[in-house]
Structures are given as structure tokens and as C-alpha cells.
Amino acid sequence: MDAATGRARTTAFADAGPPRPRLFRLANVIGLISLIRREALREIRWFGMVIVGPAIQAVLFASVFTLAAGDALTVDGLDFIQFLAAGLVASAAMQRAFETTGYSIMFDKLESGGLQDILGSPLSPLEILVSYLVTAVTAAVAVGAMIGVVMMPFGFDLPDNPVAAFLFLCLAAGIFSMAGLVNAIFSPKWDSFAGKETFLTLPIIFLSGTFFPISAVPEGAWRAVFQANPIYYLVDGFRWAATGRSETDPLIGAGIGLAVFAILLAIAARLLATGYKLKS
Amino acid sequence: MTTTHSDGGSIPPKPAAAAESVRRGVRGPRAFGSVNWVGWRSLYSKEVRRFLNVATQTVAAPVVTTLLFLAIFTLALGRAVETVHGVPFPIFLAPGLIVMAMVQNAFANTSSSLVISKVQGNIVDVLMPPINSVEFVSAYALAGTTRGVIVGLSTGLCMWLFVPFEITNPGLILYHGVSASLMLSLIGIIGGIWADKFDHMAAITNFIITPFAFLSGTFYSIERLPEPFYTIAFFNPFFYMIDGFRSGFIGVSDAPAWMGMTIMFGINLALAIVAWRMVDTGYKLKN
């Protein structure tokens, strides 16, 4: 039987010539979908845990602010809980996006060695990036939506402009998913990844106007620092979409967000294409 | 160097000890008094070095996070809440944030150490040596307390640069700082022994530690609470440590000083007994 199949194969080989390489037209769609599925399955496995932490944190923040200040807090006539809830949704989504891609790459790189399988597959750097991006943005928007739902008993309403809110959230998540990926590529160990998360990413997220309006920051050098944070404009844009009020023009926020995203995407693509710290 | 290494692979006794072991006939077990000090010190320093090795993550990170919290809450609430108990809001807030950082890190130290050891299977390395359960619990608990105190000192120093608070009663600060760290170290030991995987640990942190710490009067005086919650707040042990610790700075407390000190002592005693019983009976550790 072995001999028979062997002969058959040899004949077929002789007839058809050597097997041809698979040709991809625009993109390796099968590879793209496979990688998205792999990343999504990994995310779903601990999605319950991932949701619970930020949800409890959001409820605690809302309770603490309400207990500490009562009704004394309003921001430009906007109920503070509305203001805060929009910030909590955005910051939870950004953090989730950062950790989804970051942890995935770190784990593949250090623990399972699975990163070589991805790098060795017939996927272009852009295709790999798109796969990670799709999963991370989906996970982040889902977490953001959950936080929004959790905040509703506290008085958070459905977004004024759902489409814009969705797009702003996607943009913010996209930026941080790329940032997480770049961070993971640059980090040789878990410690270095966590260090950059604690000392760089979290301050950028927490000081981007998620919890307080920029008018609360004393004028001068400090306010200039806060205004130099591009994420501030993005969060403000999201807040405009969610509550109808903002401090800056949402179009400027969208523009700055797109620019930051494009830069990070280019950096990530360049790192993957050159194989910096990945292929040696 | 009178001993030779060629006598069939048996461990060559040191020259000074050789005569002694010959006199006794055998190399007897190492003798120690009622406390195995060498063992205790080894376990304690292993636990302390475990976190000092990654001090960026275990000391510097909580400092940055706490400063972020200070910024967020001062900026967000500062306009609406100007003073609490007659002191400016940031000065009211700072001590509570310091204790929160201390207890979260004390808890993380003991619990993560035990869970990691259990998951990786090297817990036997600390269960097998001649260290009894009292030594075991106290070494872990004091190492966790050490981390809490180090985090508290670093956080306090950095915070003082932004919020120049004053100290009115150093004794109260010391007592409550140490007993708060000890309490959460002991809870970490109990939780670490109970938990089978990291998810369980995350659940304890998410559902117990964080809510208790947040709702214990760090951010507001419990006077503000409406009636059922005001009474309930007195049943939250975290309230006493934050209240007592803060009164060492601002000189005003929600509960009387003797009450906070007694309750903290009682809770620590009870937790220590529970942790000791768990280790002594080998619950989820030896099977």
C-alpha cells in the first residue's frame, strides 16, 4: 500500500512538475483570518477576568467621587458622573488594547516560543499588524462598552453620537494596541514591559483628562504639559461624542489621533519588517 | 587539612568538627534551641530579596501609581472639596493613599510568593526544611510587612515633595503603618494558601482588597456617609488603619485612637492564629 501510494505520488509529481508556491493576490486572507482567530481565542479565554477588574474599579471610582463630593461637582454644567464615566470607558479601553497585543507578544516571545511560528508564516508585516489590531480593538471596545453599561446605574446615558463614540474608541484602542506591540518588541523581559507600562503608559492614560477637566490644572507649565499629551485631545473627542460636551474641537482630536496612530503603525510595521529584536 | 577526600565519597567533616563527631560516634542532626534562627533568617531574607530584586516593580511602581492617584483625586475633587476635618483636601488624602499603597504591596508580597511557589511546585522547598509553622508564618508576614513599610516610606517621601504634610504623632503612624502592613501580609498568606491559581488571587484582590481599601474613608470622611453606611463603615477593618494612620498626620480621627489600636491588634492576632493553623495542619499545602 505504501509502495502503491508512493508510486502514484511520483507519477503525479512527474506529470505536474514541482508543487507551485501558493500565490496571494491582495492579501493572505486565510492567514489573516487564522491569526485573528488565534488571538481572539486567546483573549476570550480570560475575558471574564479582564472585564471584572476594570468594571469593579470603575464602580469604585464612581462611588468614591460621589461620596466625596456629592453633587458639588459639575464640569461646565455637565454632571460629573457623565464626565467621569466617559473618561473611565476610554481609559479602560486604552489599557485593554495595550495589554492585549503587549501580553500576547510577550508571552509568545518568552514563554511559548510561538512568535517564531507567526514570523515564519507567509504573512506580511502589515497583515500581522492588522490581525493584532482587529483583535485588540474588538476586545477594547467590548471592555469599554461593558464599563459604559456598568456606569449606567450611576447616571451614564447612551452616547449622544454613537457612531462618533465608536470611532473615537476604535482610534484610541488602535493607538494603544500598536503602542503595546511596539513596547513588547522593545522589552526583552516581563519586567521591562511592565516598567514601561507603569512609568509611561499609565501616566499618559490617567493624565489625559480621563478623570478631571483640564481647567482644573493650574495655568502655566503644568497645563502646558497636560496639553502636550496627544491622548488628551482624543479622550476629549470621545467625551464630546458620548456626552455632547468637550473642551476642544473634536475634529482636532480626531486629526491628532489619526496622526499618532499612523506614526505608531509605521513604527510597528518597520520593526516587524526589519525583524528588530525578533529575527536574529 | 588532615582529612582526605578519598574515603569513598562520604562528606568530609571539617577538621574542628571531626573530633566532636568521632566522639559522638555519628554526625548527629543539627541542634538548635526552641527557635531555628538560621532557618527563620534564611526564609525572611529570601522573601525580602524576592521583592528587592525587582525593586522597580515592587517599590518604584507603587510610588508612581500613588502619585498618579494623588494628582487625579486632587485635580478632580479639589474644586468641590476644599477642606476635610479642617485640613486642605490633599493633606487629608495623602496619608490614606500611603496606607493603601502599603497594604496592597504587603498583600501582594506574601500572596504572590505562595501562589507562585504552589503553581511552580517549589513550595516543598520551604515546607521541607526544619522550620515550624510559627517560624514559617512570621517570616512570610514580616517580609510582607517590610515591603509595606519600605513602600510607605518611599511613597511618603515622594508625596511630601508635592503635598508638604506635617507629622503630629509619630507613634500612631508607626503603629498603624506596621499593623496595617502586617494585617494584609497575613491576609495574603491565608489567601495565598487558599488559592489554587492566579485567577483566585485576582478574584481576592478585585472583590475584597480593592473595594475595602477604596471604601474605607481614604477619599472622604465617613461623617459624610448617610446612616446605614455610616454604621457599616465601622465594621470595615480598613477604616481603622487608614483613620488611625491619618490621625498621626492631621491630628483628627473619625474613631477614637484607643478603639482603632485595639481593633487592629485584635484582628492581627486572629489572622495570625488562622494563618498559623493553616500552615500547621498543612491545609492545601501538604497532601
mmCIF file of all heavy atoms in Angstrom, chain B residues 83-116:
data_model
loop_
_atom_site.group_PDB
_atom_site.id
_atom_site.type_symbol
_atom_site.label_atom_id
_atom_site.label_comp_id
_atom_site.label_asym_id
_atom_site.label_seq_id
_atom_site.Cartn_x
_atom_site.Cartn_y
_atom_site.Cartn_z
ATOM 1 N N THR B 83 -11.759 71.545 52.109
ATOM 2 C CA THR B 83 -11.157 71.051 53.339
ATOM 3 C C THR B 83 -11.968 69.885 53.894
ATOM 4 O O THR B 83 -13.182 69.811 53.694
ATOM 5 C CB THR B 83 -11.105 72.141 54.430
ATOM 6 O OG1 THR B 83 -12.436 72.565 54.674
ATOM 7 C CG2 THR B 83 -10.227 73.296 54.022
ATOM 8 N N VAL B 84 -11.281 68.978 54.563
ATOM 9 C CA VAL B 84 -11.935 67.896 55.302
ATOM 10 C C VAL B 84 -11.321 67.919 56.699
ATOM 11 O O VAL B 84 -10.091 67.987 56.832
ATOM 12 C CB VAL B 84 -11.682 66.530 54.644
ATOM 13 C CG1 VAL B 84 -12.455 65.445 55.375
ATOM 14 C CG2 VAL B 84 -12.051 66.544 53.176
ATOM 15 N N HIS B 85 -12.130 67.856 57.721
ATOM 16 C CA HIS B 85 -11.621 67.914 59.091
ATOM 17 C C HIS B 85 -10.743 69.152 59.308
ATOM 18 O O HIS B 85 -9.783 69.116 60.073
ATOM 19 C CB HIS B 85 -10.788 66.676 59.430
ATOM 20 C CG HIS B 85 -11.639 65.475 59.767
ATOM 21 N ND1 HIS B 85 -12.740 65.539 60.565
ATOM 22 C CD2 HIS B 85 -11.509 64.174 59.407
ATOM 23 C CE1 HIS B 85 -13.274 64.337 60.674
ATOM 24 N NE2 HIS B 85 -12.551 63.493 59.984
ATOM 25 N N GLY B 86 -11.011 70.207 58.557
ATOM 26 C CA GLY B 86 -10.255 71.444 58.753
ATOM 27 C C GLY B 86 -8.891 71.472 58.106
ATOM 28 O O GLY B 86 -8.157 72.438 58.271
ATOM 29 N N VAL B 87 -8.511 70.416 57.354
ATOM 30 C CA VAL B 87 -7.224 70.473 56.651
ATOM 31 C C VAL B 87 -7.503 70.463 55.149
ATOM 32 O O VAL B 87 -8.537 69.956 54.717
ATOM 33 C CB VAL B 87 -6.294 69.287 57.009
ATOM 34 C CG1 VAL B 87 -5.887 69.355 58.466
ATOM 35 C CG2 VAL B 87 -6.950 67.969 56.680
ATOM 36 N N PRO B 88 -6.601 71.046 54.366
ATOM 37 C CA PRO B 88 -6.796 71.037 52.917
ATOM 38 C C PRO B 88 -6.949 69.613 52.397
ATOM 39 O O PRO B 88 -6.330 68.685 52.921
ATOM 40 C CB PRO B 88 -5.519 71.681 52.372
ATOM 41 C CG PRO B 88 -4.956 72.448 53.507
ATOM 42 C CD PRO B 88 -5.381 71.767 54.759
ATOM 43 N N PHE B 89 -7.749 69.452 51.348
ATOM 44 C CA PHE B 89 -8.061 68.111 50.849
ATOM 45 C C PHE B 89 -6.819 67.273 50.520
ATOM 46 O O PHE B 89 -6.764 66.101 50.919
ATOM 47 C CB PHE B 89 -8.995 68.210 49.642
ATOM 48 C CG PHE B 89 -9.378 66.879 49.080
ATOM 49 C CD1 PHE B 89 -10.161 66.004 49.809
ATOM 50 C CD2 PHE B 89 -8.920 66.470 47.835
ATOM 51 C CE1 PHE B 89 -10.496 64.760 49.308
ATOM 52 C CE2 PHE B 89 -9.247 65.227 47.328
ATOM 53 C CZ PHE B 89 -10.033 64.375 48.064
ATOM 54 N N PRO B 90 -5.812 67.816 49.826
ATOM 55 C CA PRO B 90 -4.644 66.961 49.513
ATOM 56 C C PRO B 90 -3.955 66.414 50.765
ATOM 57 O O PRO B 90 -3.473 65.276 50.762
ATOM 58 C CB PRO B 90 -3.699 67.900 48.754
ATOM 59 C CG PRO B 90 -4.562 68.971 48.244
ATOM 60 C CD PRO B 90 -5.689 69.138 49.217
ATOM 61 N N ILE B 91 -3.931 67.225 51.837
ATOM 62 C CA ILE B 91 -3.270 66.756 53.060
ATOM 63 C C ILE B 91 -4.120 65.696 53.756
ATOM 64 O O ILE B 91 -3.605 64.769 54.375
ATOM 65 C CB ILE B 91 -2.967 67.959 53.966
ATOM 66 C CG1 ILE B 91 -1.900 68.805 53.269
ATOM 67 C CG2 ILE B 91 -2.521 67.523 55.358
ATOM 68 C CD1 ILE B 91 -1.348 69.929 54.061
ATOM 69 N N PHE B 92 -5.443 65.808 53.610
ATOM 70 C CA PHE B 92 -6.329 64.773 54.131
ATOM 71 C C PHE B 92 -6.149 63.485 53.336
ATOM 72 O O PHE B 92 -6.131 62.384 53.886
ATOM 73 C CB PHE B 92 -7.785 65.252 54.029
ATOM 74 C CG PHE B 92 -8.799 64.204 54.385
ATOM 75 C CD1 PHE B 92 -9.160 63.980 55.703
ATOM 76 C CD2 PHE B 92 -9.385 63.429 53.392
ATOM 77 C CE1 PHE B 92 -10.089 63.010 56.018
ATOM 78 C CE2 PHE B 92 -10.312 62.454 53.709
ATOM 79 C CZ PHE B 92 -10.666 62.250 55.026
ATOM 80 N N LEU B 93 -5.967 63.635 52.036
ATOM 81 C CA LEU B 93 -5.916 62.486 51.130
ATOM 82 C C LEU B 93 -4.605 61.712 51.229
ATOM 83 O O LEU B 93 -4.592 60.480 51.195
ATOM 84 C CB LEU B 93 -6.112 63.007 49.698
ATOM 85 C CG LEU B 93 -6.102 62.009 48.550
ATOM 86 C CD1 LEU B 93 -7.263 61.049 48.686
ATOM 87 C CD2 LEU B 93 -6.190 62.753 47.220
ATOM 88 N N ALA B 94 -3.482 62.445 51.349
ATOM 89 C CA ALA B 94 -2.154 61.821 51.233
ATOM 90 C C ALA B 94 -1.955 60.618 52.170
ATOM 91 O O ALA B 94 -1.546 59.551 51.702
ATOM 92 C CB ALA B 94 -1.070 62.863 51.437
ATOM 93 N N PRO B 95 -2.228 60.741 53.490
ATOM 94 C CA PRO B 95 -1.978 59.583 54.359
ATOM 95 C C PRO B 95 -2.766 58.344 53.948
ATOM 96 O O PRO B 95 -2.223 57.233 53.966
ATOM 97 C CB PRO B 95 -2.425 60.069 55.745
ATOM 98 C CG PRO B 95 -2.381 61.543 55.667
ATOM 99 C CD PRO B 95 -2.711 61.897 54.255
ATOM 100 N N GLY B 96 -4.016 58.529 53.532
ATOM 101 C CA GLY B 96 -4.824 57.388 53.116
ATOM 102 C C GLY B 96 -4.219 56.693 51.911
ATOM 103 O O GLY B 96 -4.184 55.465 51.839
ATOM 104 N N LEU B 97 -3.723 57.492 50.971
ATOM 105 C CA LEU B 97 -3.116 56.891 49.775
ATOM 106 C C LEU B 97 -1.846 56.133 50.142
ATOM 107 O O LEU B 97 -1.551 55.076 49.577
ATOM 108 C CB LEU B 97 -2.807 57.973 48.736
ATOM 109 C CG LEU B 97 -4.019 58.566 48.028
ATOM 110 C CD1 LEU B 97 -3.580 59.678 47.077
ATOM 111 C CD2 LEU B 97 -4.761 57.496 47.243
ATOM 112 N N ILE B 98 -1.089 56.678 51.098
ATOM 113 C CA ILE B 98 0.137 55.980 51.527
ATOM 114 C C ILE B 98 -0.220 54.616 52.114
ATOM 115 O O ILE B 98 0.378 53.598 51.758
ATOM 116 C CB ILE B 98 0.921 56.834 52.546
ATOM 117 C CG1 ILE B 98 1.396 58.133 51.892
ATOM 118 C CG2 ILE B 98 2.113 56.057 53.096
ATOM 119 C CD1 ILE B 98 2.039 59.110 52.857
ATOM 120 N N VAL B 99 -1.224 54.584 53.007
ATOM 121 C CA VAL B 99 -1.606 53.289 53.593
ATOM 122 C C VAL B 99 -2.113 52.340 52.519
ATOM 123 O O VAL B 99 -1.801 51.149 52.534
ATOM 124 C CB VAL B 99 -2.703 53.445 54.668
ATOM 125 C CG1 VAL B 99 -2.992 52.118 55.323
ATOM 126 C CG2 VAL B 99 -2.274 54.418 55.707
ATOM 127 N N MET B 100 -2.882 52.867 51.568
ATOM 128 C CA MET B 100 -3.392 51.984 50.519
ATOM 129 C C MET B 100 -2.241 51.329 49.762
ATOM 130 O O MET B 100 -2.275 50.130 49.477
ATOM 131 C CB MET B 100 -4.283 52.768 49.555
ATOM 132 C CG MET B 100 -5.736 52.770 49.982
ATOM 133 S SD MET B 100 -6.766 53.775 48.916
ATOM 134 C CE MET B 100 -6.751 52.824 47.416
ATOM 135 N N ALA B 101 -1.214 52.119 49.441
ATOM 136 C CA ALA B 101 -0.056 51.546 48.734
ATOM 137 C C ALA B 101 0.634 50.516 49.621
ATOM 138 O O ALA B 101 1.025 49.439 49.157
ATOM 139 C CB ALA B 101 0.914 52.656 48.341
ATOM 140 N N MET B 102 0.768 50.838 50.910
ATOM 141 C CA MET B 102 1.447 49.909 51.821
ATOM 142 C C MET B 102 0.725 48.573 51.877
ATOM 143 O O MET B 102 1.341 47.513 51.722
ATOM 144 C CB MET B 102 1.506 50.510 53.232
ATOM 145 C CG MET B 102 2.422 51.687 53.368
ATOM 146 S SD MET B 102 2.295 52.446 54.997
ATOM 147 C CE MET B 102 3.377 51.402 55.937
ATOM 148 N N VAL B 103 -0.583 48.622 52.096
ATOM 149 C CA VAL B 103 -1.296 47.360 52.307
ATOM 150 C C VAL B 103 -1.400 46.557 51.022
ATOM 151 O O VAL B 103 -1.291 45.338 51.025
ATOM 152 C CB VAL B 103 -2.697 47.570 52.931
ATOM 153 C CG1 VAL B 103 -2.572 48.214 54.293
ATOM 154 C CG2 VAL B 103 -3.600 48.371 52.035
ATOM 155 N N GLN B 104 -1.579 47.242 49.889
ATOM 156 C CA GLN B 104 -1.677 46.485 48.644
ATOM 157 C C GLN B 104 -0.375 45.752 48.365
ATOM 158 O O GLN B 104 -0.376 44.615 47.897
ATOM 159 C CB GLN B 104 -2.022 47.415 47.481
ATOM 160 C CG GLN B 104 -3.517 47.650 47.399
ATOM 161 C CD GLN B 104 -3.897 48.768 46.459
ATOM 162 O OE1 GLN B 104 -3.045 49.459 45.913
ATOM 163 N NE2 GLN B 104 -5.191 48.960 46.289
ATOM 164 N N ASN B 105 0.754 46.385 48.684
ATOM 165 C CA ASN B 105 2.034 45.734 48.419
ATOM 166 C C ASN B 105 2.359 44.660 49.442
ATOM 167 O O ASN B 105 2.956 43.637 49.103
ATOM 168 C CB ASN B 105 3.139 46.773 48.341
ATOM 169 C CG ASN B 105 3.129 47.464 47.002
ATOM 170 O OD1 ASN B 105 3.630 46.923 46.042
ATOM 171 N ND2 ASN B 105 2.508 48.615 46.932
ATOM 172 N N ALA B 106 1.979 44.877 50.685
ATOM 173 C CA ALA B 106 2.175 43.834 51.692
ATOM 174 C C ALA B 106 1.395 42.587 51.290
ATOM 175 O O ALA B 106 1.901 41.463 51.343
ATOM 176 C CB ALA B 106 1.726 44.334 53.061
ATOM 177 N N PHE B 107 0.145 42.810 50.857
ATOM 178 C CA PHE B 107 -0.692 41.694 50.428
ATOM 179 C C PHE B 107 -0.077 40.992 49.225
ATOM 180 O O PHE B 107 0.025 39.756 49.187
ATOM 181 C CB PHE B 107 -2.102 42.199 50.090
ATOM 182 C CG PHE B 107 -2.996 41.152 49.514
ATOM 183 C CD1 PHE B 107 -3.605 40.228 50.332
ATOM 184 C CD2 PHE B 107 -3.223 41.083 48.152
ATOM 185 C CE1 PHE B 107 -4.433 39.251 49.809
ATOM 186 C CE2 PHE B 107 -4.034 40.110 47.616
ATOM 187 C CZ PHE B 107 -4.649 39.197 48.442
ATOM 188 N N ALA B 108 0.356 41.794 48.246
ATOM 189 C CA ALA B 108 0.914 41.199 47.028
ATOM 190 C C ALA B 108 2.153 40.371 47.345
ATOM 191 O O ALA B 108 2.384 39.327 46.737
ATOM 192 C CB ALA B 108 1.249 42.288 46.012
ATOM 193 N N ASN B 109 2.953 40.824 48.309
ATOM 194 C CA ASN B 109 4.209 40.131 48.577
ATOM 195 C C ASN B 109 3.985 38.702 49.056
ATOM 196 O O ASN B 109 4.506 37.754 48.478
ATOM 197 C CB ASN B 109 5.013 40.906 49.620
ATOM 198 C CG ASN B 109 6.489 40.636 49.489
ATOM 199 O OD1 ASN B 109 7.061 40.852 48.431
ATOM 200 N ND2 ASN B 109 7.099 40.123 50.545
ATOM 201 N N THR B 110 3.189 38.543 50.107
ATOM 202 C CA THR B 110 3.004 37.188 50.639
ATOM 203 C C THR B 110 2.170 36.337 49.703
ATOM 204 O O THR B 110 2.516 35.188 49.429
ATOM 205 C CB THR B 110 2.334 37.229 52.020
ATOM 206 O OG1 THR B 110 1.188 38.062 51.947
ATOM 207 C CG2 THR B 110 3.275 37.785 53.055
ATOM 208 N N SER B 111 1.061 36.903 49.172
ATOM 209 C CA SER B 111 0.168 36.068 48.381
ATOM 210 C C SER B 111 0.849 35.611 47.100
ATOM 211 O O SER B 111 0.799 34.433 46.759
ATOM 212 C CB SER B 111 -1.125 36.810 48.065
ATOM 213 O OG SER B 111 -0.849 37.955 47.312
ATOM 214 N N SER B 112 1.519 36.542 46.398
ATOM 215 C CA SER B 112 2.112 36.130 45.126
ATOM 216 C C SER B 112 3.220 35.114 45.363
ATOM 217 O O SER B 112 3.360 34.150 44.616
ATOM 218 C CB SER B 112 2.652 37.337 44.364
ATOM 219 O OG SER B 112 3.780 37.858 45.023
ATOM 220 N N SER B 113 3.997 35.308 46.430
ATOM 221 C CA SER B 113 5.068 34.358 46.692
ATOM 222 C C SER B 113 4.515 32.947 46.878
ATOM 223 O O SER B 113 5.017 31.986 46.283
ATOM 224 C CB SER B 113 5.832 34.789 47.940
ATOM 225 O OG SER B 113 6.801 33.831 48.257
ATOM 226 N N LEU B 114 3.458 32.829 47.696
ATOM 227 C CA LEU B 114 2.917 31.494 47.960
ATOM 228 C C LEU B 114 2.271 30.894 46.724
ATOM 229 O O LEU B 114 2.461 29.709 46.424
ATOM 230 C CB LEU B 114 1.914 31.569 49.118
ATOM 231 C CG LEU B 114 2.574 31.700 50.492
ATOM 232 C CD1 LEU B 114 1.567 32.115 51.541
ATOM 233 C CD2 LEU B 114 3.225 30.386 50.890
ATOM 234 N N VAL B 115 1.500 31.704 45.993
ATOM 235 C CA VAL B 115 0.814 31.146 44.827
ATOM 236 C C VAL B 115 1.827 30.731 43.766
ATOM 237 O O VAL B 115 1.715 29.650 43.184
ATOM 238 C CB VAL B 115 -0.205 32.157 44.256
ATOM 239 C CG1 VAL B 115 -0.796 31.633 42.967
ATOM 240 C CG2 VAL B 115 -1.307 32.403 45.251
ATOM 241 N N ILE B 116 2.832 31.568 43.533
ATOM 242 C CA ILE B 116 3.848 31.200 42.534
ATOM 243 C C ILE B 116 4.538 29.909 42.946
ATOM 244 O O ILE B 116 4.711 28.990 42.145
ATOM 245 C CB ILE B 116 4.868 32.345 42.352
ATOM 246 C CG1 ILE B 116 4.198 33.527 41.656
ATOM 247 C CG2 ILE B 116 6.062 31.881 41.526
ATOM 248 C CD1 ILE B 116 5.066 34.762 41.581
#
